[in-house]
């Protein structure tokens, strides 16, 4: 419904919501009837940058191109500005006599604090901030245990939180946008340098991904119709297409968690397996839990959730870290995952856990080092989810399972890549090996390695560590901090 000030321009600040469907801020602005200015602000040199690394920057470039096209088809323009939102938005509001600024909350504590300052500044100059929630399903402040305290472990959190989620209606998709037609000083997305060059290490990404809202909907439809029912059995199998691959679309806001939740529940109503539905929605729940922990416990990117690990004896081993990052550890399942990450900007979730555990447990390298590498190389990099997940693997985070959860990358490979197809794809120098030998090539009979063209220490590295010895070293290090904590 149009407001009394329908001739006064309003501004829509686009952020991690690069979509038309179920975009509460955009929908409310369109329904106001006011002429609109749509703005995306690239805050490259501030703590509030929404893309934490280079790979997610590539995705942002592609996603903004798609969003710009969609907005243009509705009669408007998405203006691109590089700068600091705390300066840019009040400046635009004063210059163009903007009555309202609409945006969707990011639900990151440090960004929310900034946004509160921004809202106060806008009100001081006579502009009304209008803020909506679309990044998460839950209001973190409303989910507490029976003692009125925040949950510290996922399972009881999700048992309580999942019963409160009842999204039934989505914000309507605009059919037309009344563009204010104002001249806004902006920039071209090419000026932001998000597409790498010299070399273009992301040149293969376009073969694996279709960024944008349409790509997100296609991925969701594929998952619902082709993979949802088999999700509980197949989600841990990197050798098959058993997961949704929605994470980069969700990270960029090309699809909302409400859209996913409703689509999955609708599939259940049409006969999809309830067990599969609950298992998949619990993965959305982990994302919610990550945001929840930051809301209640502060910046878990900078500190251990479990403070007794503050004195843990992490190892400084640049050569081992380099071998891990390049997929040259001599441990096939780890190497396959790290090479998949580099070539596609994504890694299967089971393999993420294997590779992360190897770094922090077997190599003894700080989880923050792994977190930063993943953030630079993942197209789905989400600073809050990434930190929470790394802490879970490291044993420093919010989880009931202790530090001695140490994944053996060989047995994990044998269990979840039983035919070796995943390793074979990403570590082609081992393609000639069969059975369990592909997961332990250095232990394969010499004649078999010779016939397969595998030369340990030649075209494929020898293992950089002894898994058994390093596992014991990790347990000893944990025992030391337990003793000191006693």
């Amino acid at each position: 419904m149009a407001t009394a000030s329908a001739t006064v321009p309003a501004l829509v600040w686009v952020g991690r919501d690069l979509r038309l469907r179920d975009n509460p801020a955009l929908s409310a602005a369109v329904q106001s009837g006011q002429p609109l200015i749509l703005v995306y602000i690239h805050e490259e040199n501030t703590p509030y940058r929404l893309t934490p690394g280079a790979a997610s920057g590539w995705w942002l470039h592609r996603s903004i191109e798609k969003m710009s096209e969609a907005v243009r088809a509705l009669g408007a323009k998405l203006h691109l500005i590089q700068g600091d939102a705390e300066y840019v938005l009040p400046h635009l509001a004063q210059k163009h006599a903007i009555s309202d600024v609409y945006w969707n909350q990011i639900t990151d504590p440090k960004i929310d604090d900034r946004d509160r300052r921004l809202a106060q500044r806008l009100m001081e100059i006579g502009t009304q901030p209008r803020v909506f929630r679309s990044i998460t399903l839950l209001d973190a402040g409303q989910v507490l245990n029976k003692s009125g305290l925040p949950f510290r472990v996922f399972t009881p959190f999700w048992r309580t939180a999942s019963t409160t989620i009842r999204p039934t209606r989505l914000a309507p998709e605009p059919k037309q946008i009344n563009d204010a037609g104002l001249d806004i000083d902006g920039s071209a997305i090419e000026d932001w340098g998000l597409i790498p060059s010299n070399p273009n290490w992301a040149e293969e990404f376009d073969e694996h991904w279709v960024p944008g809202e349409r790509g997100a909907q296609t991925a969701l439809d594929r998952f619902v119709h082709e993979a949802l029912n088999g999700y509980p059995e197949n989600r841990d199998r990197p050798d098959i297409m058993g997961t949704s691959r929605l994470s980069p679309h969700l990270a960029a806001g090309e699809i909302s968690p409400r859209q996913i939740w409703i689509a999955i529940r609708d599939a259940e109503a049409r006969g999809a397996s309830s067990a599969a539905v609950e298992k998949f929605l619990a993965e959305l729940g982990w994302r919610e839990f990550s945001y929840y922990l930051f809301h209640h416990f502060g910046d878990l990117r900078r500190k251990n959730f479990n403070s007794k690990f503050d004195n843990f004896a992490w190892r400084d081993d640049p050569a081992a870290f380099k071998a891990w990052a390049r997929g040259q550890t001599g441990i096939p399942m780890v190497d396959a995952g790290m090479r998949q990450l580099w070539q596609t900007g994504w890694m299967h979730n089971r393999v993420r856990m294997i590779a992360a555990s190897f770094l922090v447990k077997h190599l003894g390298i700080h989880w923050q080092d792994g977190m930063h590498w993943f953030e630079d190389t993942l197209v789905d990099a989400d600073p809050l989810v990434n930190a929470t997940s790394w802490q879970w693997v490291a044993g420093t985070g919010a989880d009931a399972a202790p530090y001695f959860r140490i994944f053996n990358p060989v047995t994990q490979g044998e269990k979840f890549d039983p035919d070796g197809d995943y390793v074979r794809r990403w570590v082609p120098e081992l393609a000639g090996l069969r059975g369990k030998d592909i997961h332990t090539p250095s232990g394969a009979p010499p004649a078999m390695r010779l016939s397969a063209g595998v030369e340990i220490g030649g075209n494929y590295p020898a293992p950089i560590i002894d898994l058994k010895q390093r596992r014991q070293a990790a347990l000893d290090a944990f025992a030391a901090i337990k003793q000191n904590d006693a």
Side-chain angles (χ1 to χ4, degrees):
M1 179 180 294
T3 67
S5 58
T7 60
V8 179
L11 186 147
V12 180
W13 178 22
V14 178
R16 282 182 58 188
D17 46 16
L18 292 164
R19 64 182 184 276
L20 299 177
R21 302 182 187 181
D22 195 37
N23 186 325
L26 176 61
S27 180
V30 169
Q31 290 182 43
S32 76
Q34 296 175 259
L36 301 179
I37 307 167
L38 274 63
V39 172
Y40 184 98
I41 303 173
H42 183 49
E43 300 185 273
E44 182 177 23
N45 297 315
T46 77
Y48 313 112
R49 177 175 175 168
L50 299 183
T51 51
S56 56
W58 172 88
W59 191 286
L60 175 65
H61 183 114
R62 294 283 189 257
S63 188
I64 286 179
E65 287 180 328
K66 298 296 185 181
M67 182 68 171
S68 296
E69 292 172 5
V71 167
R72 192 179 307 118
L74 298 183
K77 179 179 179 179
L78 178 61
H79 299 274
L80 308 181
I81 300 175
Q82 186 160 325
D84 185 336
E86 282 191 85
Y87 167 79
V88 170
L89 291 172
H91 172 74
L92 290 175
Q94 288 185 307
K95 181 177 181 179
H96 299 289
I98 291 167
S99 65
D100 306 85
V101 176
Y102 294 79
W103 75 87
N104 292 311
Q105 182 183 19
I106 297 297
T107 322
D108 179 324
K110 72 175 185 297
I111 296 178
D112 291 346
D113 287 344
R114 185 278 306 272
D115 287 0
R116 281 187 280 272
R117 297 194 304 269
L118 173 60
Q120 181 62 37
R121 174 61 181 143
L122 289 171
M123 288 188 288
E124 289 172 356
I125 63 175
T127 299
Q128 182 64 39
R130 301 190 181 278
V131 186
F132 302 80
R133 188 177 77 241
S134 71
I135 295 274
T136 59
L137 294 162
L138 297 165
D139 181 344
Q142 300 300 311
V143 182
L144 302 170
N145 64 23
K146 292 180 180 179
S147 300
L149 298 173
F151 289 96
R152 301 174 69 90
V153 177
F154 173 71
T155 300
F157 159 81
W158 189 238
R159 189 183 302 119
T160 298
S162 60
T163 64
T164 70
I165 301 173
R166 293 287 184 272
T168 55
R169 297 180 60 190
L170 301 175
E173 179 181 355
K175 303 303 180 186
Q176 185 176 357
I177 298 175
N178 179 17
D179 190 86
L182 298 176
D183 185 20
I184 305 295
D185 292 331
S187 59
I189 194 169
E190 290 76 16
D191 297 336
W192 295 354
L194 298 173
I195 300 296
S197 59
N198 298 321
N200 181 5
W201 44 259
E203 60 185 348
E204 294 184 39
F205 285 11
D206 284 307
E207 299 176 13
H208 299 277
W209 301 105
V210 182
E213 185 171 14
R214 184 175 298 178
Q217 291 295 326
T218 299
L220 177 60
D221 291 344
R222 181 206 65 81
F223 176 68
V224 167
H225 293 103
E226 298 178 16
L228 175 58
N229 278 329
Y231 184 74
E233 299 79 25
N234 296 332
R235 69 192 186 100
D236 285 321
R237 291 284 300 273
D239 56 332
I240 60 179
M241 192 77 157
T243 62
S244 72
R245 293 172 64 90
L246 282 167
S247 55
H249 300 289
L250 197 54
E254 297 167 351
I255 193 168
S256 73
R258 287 159 46 91
Q259 288 174 282
I260 298 173
W261 184 279
I262 290 175
I264 298 300
R265 286 297 187 199
D266 285 348
E268 183 181 28
R270 295 192 304 269
S273 161
S274 293
V277 165
E278 295 303 329
K279 181 65 73 174
F280 178 76
L281 292 181
E283 295 301 313
L284 273 185
W286 178 257
R287 179 178 182 272
E288 296 288 320
F289 189 49
S290 300
Y291 281 77
Y292 177 89
L293 292 174
F294 271 76
H295 175 86
H296 287 287
F297 298 102
D299 190 353
L300 298 178
R301 295 172 52 74
R302 298 181 180 273
K303 66 178 184 179
N304 295 309
F305 181 85
N306 187 340
S307 61
K308 73 181 179 183
F309 281 89
D310 291 349
N311 297 317
F312 190 79
W314 299 106
R315 298 177 66 248
D316 182 22
D317 193 339
F321 182 85
K322 183 177 181 180
W324 174 81
R326 292 188 172 184
Q328 294 290 335
T329 68
I331 310 295
M333 202 66 174
V334 174
D335 292 343
M338 299 308 293
R339 296 186 195 187
Q340 181 187 31
L341 173 61
W342 183 255
Q343 294 178 44
T344 71
W346 185 84
M347 190 194 306
H348 186 278
N349 187 60
R350 167 57 59 173
V351 189
R352 293 189 199 200
M353 291 190 287
I354 296 169
S357 179
F358 180 80
L359 182 76
V360 297
K361 303 293 178 62
H362 288 100
L363 297 183
I365 294 174
H366 203 298
W367 60 265
Q368 289 176 335
D369 293 336
M371 177 186 75
H372 292 311
W373 181 258
F374 270 25
E375 265 169 15
D376 201 34
T377 52
L378 282 168
V379 293
D380 63 9
D382 180 313
L384 277 62
V385 179
N386 192 31
T388 306
S389 299
W390 271 95
Q391 289 220 42
W392 180 87
V393 170
T396 65
D399 192 74
Y403 175 82
F404 52 76
R405 181 209 301 111
I406 301 176
F407 291 101
N408 182 313
V410 173
T411 57
Q412 288 277 308
E414 292 170 352
K415 180 177 181 180
F416 297 115
D417 185 28
D419 298 320
D421 291 339
Y422 178 74
V423 168
R424 197 167 287 112
R425 177 177 183 184
W426 299 109
V427 190
E429 57 266 45
L430 301 180
L433 294 176
R434 291 293 182 269
K436 292 184 177 181
D437 289 315
I438 199 169
H439 294 294
T440 53
S442 60
M448 181 179 293
R449 292 202 304 266
L450 181 64
S451 65
V454 176
E455 183 182 353
I456 301 300
N459 64 347
Y460 188 69
I464 62 173
I465 60 165
D466 181 290
L467 291 174
K468 185 177 180 180
Q469 290 179 358
R470 284 298 179 85
R471 181 182 188 277
Q472 187 58 51
L475 294 175
D476 292 344
F478 176 62
I481 65 165
K482 280 185 66 178
Q483 185 175 7
N484 293 337
D485 194 52

